[in-house]
Amino acid sequence: MRIPESDQESAHSVSLDSAPQAGPSSLGLDGPGPSNGHTNGNGFTLPSTNGFTNGAGVVGNGVQKHGKSVAKVSLLGTALYADGSYVDREEFVRLVIQSLRDVGYIESAATLEAESGYTMEAPEVSQFRQYILEASWSDAEDALTRLGVTDSDGLWVCYHLCIGSVPYVFRYQEAKFFIGQQKYLELLEAGKTTLALQVLRNELAPLNVAQDQLHFLSGLMMCSDPTDLRQRAEWDGASGTSRRELLTVLQRYVPASIMIPQRRFSTLLQQAQSHQRQQCVYHNSPLDSKAFSLYEDHQCDKDVFPGTTTAILDVHVNEVWNIEWSHDGSYLASASKDKTAIIWRIDDPSIRDYTAKFVLRDHSFPVGCLAWSLDDSILLTGADNEIRMWNTKTGVCTLVLDSQHGHQETVAALSWLPDGSGFISGGLDRRIILWDAEGNFKDSWGETAIRVTDLAITPDLTRVVAVGIHYLYDLATKQTELSFPLEGELSSVKISRDSRYALVNRTQNEIYLYDLHSGRLARKFAGQRQGKHVIRSCFGGIDGNFVVSGSEDGNVYVWQCDTGILLETLPGHGEGSVNSVAWNPTNERMFATCSDDHTIRIWEAPLRESGSRVTNRSSSNGKGKTRQQSNGDGVDFDSAFGAWVDG
Amino acid sequence: MGMVYRIYLEGERIYGCANCKTHLATIHSMMSRAFNGQHGRAYLFETVVNIIEGEPIDREMTTGKHTVRDISCCKCRTVLGWKYDRAFEPLQQYKEGKYILERNLLVDVQ
């Protein structure tokens, strides 16, 4: 880089002393002066002024110690860099100026304006902004006119080009309407009804746009008080953010090149972040400065993906069909064909001390479904048509739910309401039943069109998504909202955290991701085997970036949710199906799987330190054991067992 | 191996296990009512679901020697009848691969 010499001959030099204010400097829009020859090859220049050492702390006092004027640097061409892809220098510099102003580096911004010869925006624009924020409505309207018709600074031409085929007069009236509407609402809020009425009649009505909105606005006259008004208008008042929001709306009517959208640079950087995040297939880290530095492209380390078995829980004496984490992530419940459910304790994940805390053994049939209450104090289990409630502190069955009102056939799914007021159960008897938090029958959906094999409630409590044999469909207030007839049997449904997507397993080897907002199939995931068994899948990782599923071939499959790319096929479980998978809700780097091989595996990133603590705990029935394993391939299990388990 | 739900049948008339109402067969798959079992009348079905098949054994029946397997309800394990693996008499071979359910162990379910 080269430091340009001071070029005092430039006609556009400006003294820093004259531009200490937050507003734009008074530089005109006329083009750069004659080139002074101080261009360099890469266009990268550093000012020689020492004014940049003044931190934000001195902003506002306007005192310049040196009083040296800043010379304009003239550069050839319009590109930021002469080589490479084109970035417009003026656009770039104006965004930098905007960013500097936003954070309070006022003097630096002024210096940059002086040195570059570009202003962030014309004085008319900042004036216009000021008028809106100060509620100088008529001034604002005039300023709008100036932005629209003043032809001397080229604004009119830009404006006209931007609006394309829409008559600009119409656009102008629309903009005026929004200003008038704000004025009207503020008058109403202040209780000046007569003045407000005048605005409505004399200013808004003659514009002849948005008749419906005009009717709505006049109806607001009837509001009893300002609070009522704000609520009904969905408007937060003169002292709220409504004027800023109005500016954002008006932004649409002024070309972006004249009035730069707010925080434009930051928006672009966020887009870059979002792009990098999408490119990062193993993405599993939070959006903080550590993971997302502007200095380099973001990339999550594949090695920290939880693809290694770090523990094997081996207490069940038959196939393990389902698993569910407690909400605090420190307990795992498992359901087995051996007619028991087990609550496993994970006291401290760093110690990896997985204990079978309670074996719940009162069921007379295999246990198929589980559900933790929101506070994790109650576990529900379903076995055949029976639902039991267990105290998770004592391991005691506190209630067998009323069989009179309950299911006549197998209970396939249990799910607590997101507000904790109760839970619902779905069964193969085509019924969905609502129970209160104490386990009392409250309501039944009656016969649904499907035999329910799984269901889930969206976290925003607006939908129940039930899947079953023959059909998948949605329920909202018991009305079928959407119904997707699908071939084959659907065995599992999970909802994304944002309530938008439903992940559905079906026989014939397919997992579908449904967009519940649009009612469309968003993605398919393929690779896993599902022919006749109930196989479950789940979202996992930070932001639900992964989709994980069991499989009849004994492997665990992991995809990137956004793209459907198969990331991992994890072997390890023994013969038979991997029936269910569950991602730890509080640890994005841990999940569990369960299998026909009677075991549950805990998957984490490879252990860094060799010889980490290993435990061997007996279950409360005395014959179980918890095995520890450090190698993830599972092929070498026995030797790993011998090497890592102490007595 | 693996978790499966019991199969539920659709149709005008569904026969289920008298003990636990597990669906077993539909009237459409019934081939004959003219059979007798240990508990009286029995029906011959083309297909039966939700059953567990026992080990094959040879049994002398009124119509000759057959290799059969006892079949029981997959939920309550009640023995409901048998399945013909093989009929030694050529005239009886139409029964091979078919199932007998005893009428007294069945109920109509819906």
Side-chain angles (χ1 to χ4, degrees):
Chain A
M1 69 183 80
R2 273 198 283 157
I3 296 169
E5 293 153 40
S6 170
D7 41 355
Q8 296 293 340
E9 73 275 17
S10 167
H12 294 274
S13 64
V14 64
S15 165
L16 273 178
D17 297 74
S18 67
Q21 295 305 316
S25 75
S26 52
L27 278 176
L29 285 180
D30 42 349
S35 169
N36 59 9
H38 282 287
T39 48
N40 54 20
N42 61 5
F44 194 101
T45 61
L46 193 74
S48 57
T49 169
N50 63 0
F52 287 86
T53 54
N54 291 336
V58 298
V59 168
N61 65 13
V63 175
Q64 295 299 315
K65 285 171 188 137
H66 47 80
K68 188 181 170 191
S69 65
V70 177
K72 178 168 178 276
V73 178
S74 293
L75 303 168
L76 284 176
T78 57
L80 183 60
Y81 298 114
D83 48 358
S85 64
Y86 183 80
V87 173
D88 187 89
R89 192 173 62 237
E90 176 175 351
E91 290 182 5
F92 175 79
V93 171
R94 288 178 68 195
L95 295 193
V96 172
I97 297 168
Q98 186 193 39
S99 312
L100 291 174
R101 285 236 164 82
D102 283 348
V103 297
Y105 298 144
I106 309 297
E107 289 174 23
S108 300
T111 305
L112 183 51
E113 285 192 329
E115 197 166 25
S116 65
Y118 304 126
T119 45
M120 182 181 108
E121 57 191 13
E124 291 88 346
V125 178
S126 57
Q127 234 170 28
F128 172 68
R129 187 177 282 117
Q130 207 61 29
Y131 290 146
I132 295 286
L133 295 177
E134 289 168 358
S136 310
W137 306 123
S138 54
D139 288 339
E141 280 173 22
D142 290 347
L144 195 67
T145 316
R146 279 202 300 282
L147 285 180
V149 297
T150 312
D151 155 85
S152 60
D153 56 5
L155 286 177
W156 192 88
V157 176
C158 287
Y159 189 48
H160 196 80
L161 284 176
C162 174
I163 55 184
S165 58
V166 183
Y168 97 95
V169 176
F170 182 66
R171 303 276 297 189
Y172 171 65
Q173 285 180 338
E174 264 186 27
K176 252 182 104 167
F177 185 88
F178 282 112
I179 296 176
Q181 171 178 293
Q182 176 81 13
K183 183 177 173 182
Y184 168 77
L185 288 170
E186 290 199 13
L187 285 169
L188 267 192
E189 190 189 26
K192 297 172 181 164
T193 319
T194 317
L195 283 173
L197 193 61
Q198 279 172 14
V199 171
L200 197 68
R201 281 190 183 150
N202 305 333
E203 297 181 29
L204 287 172
L207 289 173
N208 213 18
V209 290
Q211 288 301 320
D212 292 350
Q213 182 69 1
L214 202 61
H215 287 145
F216 172 72
L217 289 174
S218 59
L220 296 174
M221 282 274 183
M222 299 303 159
C223 288
S224 51
D225 57 66
T227 316
D228 185 30
L229 169 74
R230 288 191 287 263
Q231 202 161 12
R232 281 177 54 188
E234 292 178 353
W235 177 79
D236 73 349
S239 56
T241 59
S242 65
R243 290 178 190 166
R244 293 211 160 271
E245 280 164 22
L246 173 63
L247 268 178
T248 311
V249 170
L250 293 173
Q251 185 85 56
R252 292 205 297 266
Y253 299 91
V254 185
S257 63
I258 291 174
M259 188 169 162
I260 303 169
Q262 287 175 19
R263 300 187 177 184
R264 181 64 192 157
F265 218 135
S266 175
T267 304
L268 291 171
L269 292 176
Q270 277 164 14
Q271 287 169 4
Q273 272 191 357
S274 153
H275 173 75
Q276 287 171 23
R277 191 208 153 291
Q278 277 168 17
Q279 297 296 306
C280 176
V281 290
Y282 281 92
H283 184 71
N284 200 17
S285 47
L287 277 158
D288 58 19
S289 55
K290 251 185 174 171
F292 277 103
S293 165
L294 295 181
Y295 296 136
E296 57 183 358
D297 286 358
H298 165 81
Q299 189 73 46
C300 278
D301 189 358
K302 181 177 185 264
D303 292 343
V304 300
F305 178 81
T308 299
T309 299
T310 53
I312 294 171
L313 316 185
D314 186 12
V315 172
H316 282 296
V317 295
N318 209 326
E319 299 168 9
V320 188
W321 283 352
N322 210 342
I323 44 176
E324 206 75 54
W325 288 97
S326 63
H327 295 88
D328 68 4
S330 47
Y331 294 93
L332 183 73
S334 57
S336 170
K337 192 180 180 182
D338 69 9
K339 304 176 188 174
T340 72
I342 293 180
I343 295 176
W344 306 85
R345 187 168 66 208
I346 300 164
D347 284 313
D348 180 355
S350 65
I351 301 170
R352 299 192 168 76
D353 176 5
Y354 305 137
T355 311
K357 190 183 175 198
F358 297 116
V359 179
L360 315 178
R361 49 174 83 256
D362 295 349
H363 283 294
S364 33
F365 289 98
V367 185
C369 52
L370 305 153
W372 291 87
S373 63
L374 297 198
D375 64 0
D376 296 329
S377 67
I378 301 168
L379 181 72
L380 300 171
T381 56
D384 206 77
N385 65 338
E386 186 178 85
I387 301 170
R388 282 174 183 261
M389 227 176 199
W390 306 80
N391 180 326
T392 60
K393 302 279 181 295
T394 61
V396 170
C397 177
T398 54
L399 187 69
V400 180
L401 269 59
D402 179 6
S403 60
Q404 204 75 39
H405 289 101
H407 291 280
Q408 304 306 310
E409 298 287 347
T410 304
V411 180
L414 293 163
S415 179
W416 286 82
L417 297 171
D419 63 2
S421 64
F423 57 91
I424 57 175
S425 58
L428 294 170
D429 57 359
R430 302 179 187 272
R431 292 174 75 207
I432 295 174
I433 299 175
L434 176 66
W435 310 81
D436 71 14
E438 279 72 49
N440 302 307
F441 173 88
K442 284 192 73 178
D443 203 358
S444 171
W445 262 255
E447 284 229 331
T448 63
I450 52 168
R451 295 190 185 274
V452 178
T453 53
D454 199 6
L455 57 77
I457 305 169
T458 56
D460 63 9
L461 201 47
T462 60
R463 290 185 173 94
V464 173
V465 182
V467 297
I469 297 168
H470 304 310
Y471 295 108
L472 154 78
Y473 76 150
D474 284 46
L475 299 160
T477 60
K478 298 190 191 176
Q479 299 298 310
T480 300
E481 176 192 340
L482 279 167
S483 173
F484 310 96
L486 291 174
E487 295 284 314
E489 295 186 7
L490 310 176
S491 63
S492 159
V493 59
K494 296 286 193 319
I495 306 283
S496 64
R497 212 172 293 170
D498 62 5
S499 301
R500 174 145 188 202
Y501 295 102
L503 187 68
V504 176
N505 273 58
R506 56 170 287 217
T507 55
Q508 303 320 321
N509 313 328
E510 279 177 326
I511 299 176
Y512 287 171
L513 185 71
Y514 273 94
D515 183 335
L516 297 174
H517 289 186
S518 68
R520 285 161 198 246
L521 177 64
R523 253 175 297 291
K524 284 185 188 180
F525 302 94
Q528 92 295 356
R529 297 284 126 205
Q530 180 173 10
K532 53 185 196 290
H533 296 158
V534 174
I535 302 291
R536 300 177 199 270
S537 59
C538 70
F539 293 101
I542 201 120
D543 306 328
N545 192 43
F546 303 120
V547 164
V548 194
S549 179
S551 172
E552 287 178 9
D553 64 7
N555 293 320
V556 179
Y557 288 78
V558 185
W559 297 265
Q560 188 189 18
C561 185
D562 284 348
T563 60
I565 294 170
L566 179 64
L567 298 177
E568 297 282 342
T569 303
L570 304 170
H573 274 298
E575 207 176 311
S577 298
V578 174
N579 297 307
S580 188
V581 292
W583 207 279
N584 189 312
T586 59
N587 179 355
E588 67 269 11
R589 291 186 179 162
M590 179 193 275
F591 69 97
T593 58
C594 64
S595 159
D596 285 354
D597 71 4
H598 307 186
T599 72
I600 297 154
R601 281 177 174 244
I602 304 291
W603 303 80
E604 290 175 273
L607 300 177
R608 290 282 159 100
E609 68 280 60
S610 59
S612 74
R613 280 311 306 141
V614 165
T615 53
N616 181 9
R617 289 295 168 109
S618 291
S619 73
S620 48
N621 70 4
K623 57 183 185 174
K625 54 199 176 295
T626 302
R627 293 181 290 197
Q628 293 289 324
Q629 187 185 10
S630 70
N631 64 334
D633 58 22
V635 174
D636 201 11
F637 173 70
D638 283 326
S639 66
F641 178 69
W644 290 100
V645 177
D646 60 26
Chain B
M1 291 288 272
M3 183 177 181
V4 287
Y5 292 117
R6 288 191 293 277
I7 294 166
Y8 291 85
L9 300 168
E10 305 282 341
E12 286 161 39
R13 193 163 180 193
I14 297 162
Y15 296 101
C17 169
N19 184 44
C20 70
K21 301 194 171 49
T22 292
H23 288 202
L24 298 170
T26 64
I27 195 161
H28 298 292
S29 75
M30 185 187 283
M31 298 172 71
S32 169
R33 294 177 193 264
F35 280 76
N36 285 296
Q38 290 175 311
H39 307 275
R41 272 276 180 234
Y43 303 149
L44 182 72
F45 288 95
E46 177 86 36
T47 51
V48 174
V49 298
N50 298 324
I51 46 154
I52 299 165
E53 296 179 9
E55 292 302 307
I57 45 164
D58 288 350
R59 214 176 266 168
E60 281 298 338
M61 302 197 160
T62 50
T63 52
K65 188 179 175 188
H66 295 79
T67 306
V68 297
R69 297 164 183 267
D70 283 342
I71 57 175
S72 52
C73 169
C74 73
K75 180 178 174 186
C76 69
R77 312 287 157 131
T78 305
V79 177
L80 300 162
W82 61 87
K83 179 190 179 184
Y84 292 104
D85 270 13
R86 185 182 166 205
F88 287 76
E89 299 288 331
L91 277 175
Q92 304 301 325
Q93 282 175 357
Y94 74 96
K95 293 187 276 189
E96 289 180 359
K98 309 296 189 292
Y99 303 82
I100 290 289
L101 292 175
E102 304 220 27
R103 192 181 66 182
N104 287 329
L105 302 177
L106 299 180
V107 286
D108 281 3
V109 291
Q110 199 43 260

